[in-house]
Amino acid sequence: MDLAATFSAMPNGMPNATPLTALPDAWHWEMAPGLDFTAALSEDREHAFQCFALRSYDAGLVAAVLSFARAHEDVVLTPPDRPLGIAEGLAHPGFAFDTVVTFGPVLHRHQEQDPALHEAIRAVQPAYRCEFAGDESEQDASFLFSRAAGVPSTRLDREPHPFLKMRYKTDTRVLPERDFVSTDWLVKELRALEGRPDGFVEYENYRHEVRRAEWADGQWGLTGDATEAGWHRIDELLELVKTSLYGPNLAAGTTRFDG
């Protein structure tokens, strides 16, 4: 398959594809106003990295992402049956993204009408390290990639959406397994522990670190990390929880947690 001819020509849903000037063997096309696609060949020219930006396209950032993916193909050029791969260390002026994530053909829908082309493509997007564990199952990766409550990776003008799984008991119901929730839900359930010594909130971050919060004698207890363990006021607890969720991405914005 001649991927260069595929992306530089008009067919296959790539009208008006033009070379991406900042990067060789890379192209940009716009399906509609605000729907920007880019693609770049891998070093072996047998695969392609394809990036999609929804109403947030920045040519410099996208070129940096595609170039970074090329330089880290040993990590992000994953086998077709692997849902995702991540590489840390991305940096581009004006943006706080520090990671590149690729999604395999088991998740993305690029060029599905051509099975061979579809399998050769890895969807690639900038990300924050706290958003993905890197070893997600296909089910978890699909949630993060395609669900509205997951990571909006096609928005290049966003704050972090931390990886967060939780189970809890703050009323009569006990969830048996941790599942993906939003940060505001976690904050709500942590606050709801007050006055409930029989309750708990247990959550998992992008490093698969699990912490458990409880309430007793007017304070919230936290276990799971030796440096954070102990009893805290609610404001102290929330700061510890936020830090554990956002990790190196705290400065990129925490309004999803702070409300």
Side-chain angles (χ1 to χ4, degrees):
M1 181 187 304
D2 187 345
L3 288 177
T6 298
F7 284 102
S8 60
M10 294 302 118
N12 299 308
M14 291 166 275
N16 306 314
T18 58
L20 194 65
T21 57
L23 195 67
D25 290 326
W27 300 267
H28 166 256
W29 65 99
E30 190 178 48
M31 297 297 291
L35 303 179
D36 290 88
F37 289 84
T38 49
L41 301 187
S42 61
E43 289 292 339
D44 63 11
R45 303 178 68 83
E46 295 182 2
H47 299 85
F49 299 109
Q50 188 166 320
C51 183
F52 172 47
L54 177 61
R55 296 187 298 274
S56 54
Y57 179 69
D58 182 279
L61 172 63
V62 169
V65 169
L66 295 172
S67 179
F68 189 87
R70 271 186 184 164
H72 296 80
E73 290 183 2
D74 59 325
V75 179
V76 298
L77 192 53
T78 54
D81 60 346
R82 183 175 169 186
L84 61 80
I86 62 173
E88 300 178 54
L90 174 70
H92 185 71
F95 294 86
F97 296 113
D98 61 352
T99 299
V100 161
V101 57
T102 54
F103 302 97
V106 296
L107 294 185
H108 74 71
R109 302 180 62 182
H110 297 316
Q111 310 303 325
E112 281 186 311
Q113 78 283 355
D114 185 332
L117 179 57
H118 173 73
E119 186 165 309
I121 290 173
R122 299 297 178 271
V124 58
Q125 300 292 152
Y128 297 99
R129 183 62 189 91
C130 68
E131 296 178 320
F132 297 92
D135 60 355
E136 283 84 351
S137 65
E138 184 175 337
Q139 179 179 353
D140 283 359
S142 178
F143 178 92
L144 295 173
F145 176 66
S146 60
R147 293 284 295 276
V151 178
S153 58
T154 61
R155 294 302 302 258
L156 309 187
D157 55 355
R158 61 184 177 83
E159 292 186 358
H161 286 58
F163 180 105
L164 169 59
K165 285 186 169 184
M166 179 180 74
R167 76 182 190 101
Y168 60 93
K169 178 188 177 184
T170 52
D171 51 31
T172 58
R173 182 176 60 162
V174 180
L175 298 185
E177 296 182 356
R178 292 186 295 275
D179 203 357
F180 286 113
V181 300
S182 61
T183 53
D184 59 341
W185 190 354
L186 171 62
V187 173
K188 172 179 174 292
E189 296 302 336
L190 288 170
R191 292 185 180 279
L193 281 175
E194 185 171 7
R196 294 299 305 269
D198 60 333
F200 69 87
V201 172
E202 179 184 279
Y203 72 93
E204 176 185 348
N205 69 5
Y206 69 105
R207 295 189 182 277
H208 298 310
E209 298 167 340
V210 177
R211 290 166 170 81
R212 182 183 176 102
E214 299 174 322
W215 189 91
D217 299 326
Q219 289 186 304
W220 280 257
L222 188 65
T223 57
D225 183 282
T227 63
E228 302 169 357
W231 295 92
H232 309 279
R233 300 189 312 269
I234 186 62
D235 58 329
E236 296 171 339
L237 176 79
L238 292 178
E239 282 301 312
L240 290 172
V241 171
K242 181 168 64 176
T243 299
S244 71
L245 288 176
Y246 284 83
N249 305 124
L250 272 170
T254 60
T255 56
R256 288 177 54 79
F257 187 95
D258 298 324

